[in-house]
Amino acid sequence: MTVKSKWQNRKTVVGSSQLELAERVKDHERRGWRKVGKGVEIHRVHKSEYIQVMEFGRLVNAN
């Protein structure tokens, strides 16, 4: 018997702008994912990335 980690139910959604990230998060929420924490903006040398961690709600709520 294997033990499943809750981290297997998480993924990171990345967008090049806040608008693009919001659209991707909305699309994931329609498929059963939910937000974990607040969105983060990471400044790179040439561009910024907007990141949101998502967690699959159905698998997490089943525990």
Side-chain angles (χ1 to χ4, degrees):
M1 185 168 135
T2 60
V3 177
K4 290 187 178 180
S5 171
K6 68 177 183 177
W7 295 102
Q8 293 175 343
N9 300 334
R10 290 188 178 192
K11 70 157 116 180
T12 304
V13 178
V14 180
S16 59
S17 68
Q18 287 180 342
L19 183 61
E20 182 182 353
L21 178 64
E23 289 175 2
R24 289 184 178 183
V25 166
K26 195 176 193 181
D27 184 44
H28 278 76
E29 286 176 335
R30 273 185 261 148
R31 291 185 273 141
W33 292 81
R34 62 186 177 111
K35 289 191 238 181
V36 176
K38 295 184 177 179
V40 178
E41 180 181 359
I42 296 179
H43 296 285
R44 308 265 180 189
V45 174
H46 299 290
K47 66 175 184 173
S48 295
E49 288 183 340
Y50 297 86
I51 297 173
Q52 175 71 56
V53 177
M54 304 290 288
E55 188 172 58
F56 197 68
R58 186 177 56 198
L59 296 176
V60 172
N61 292 333
N63 294 336

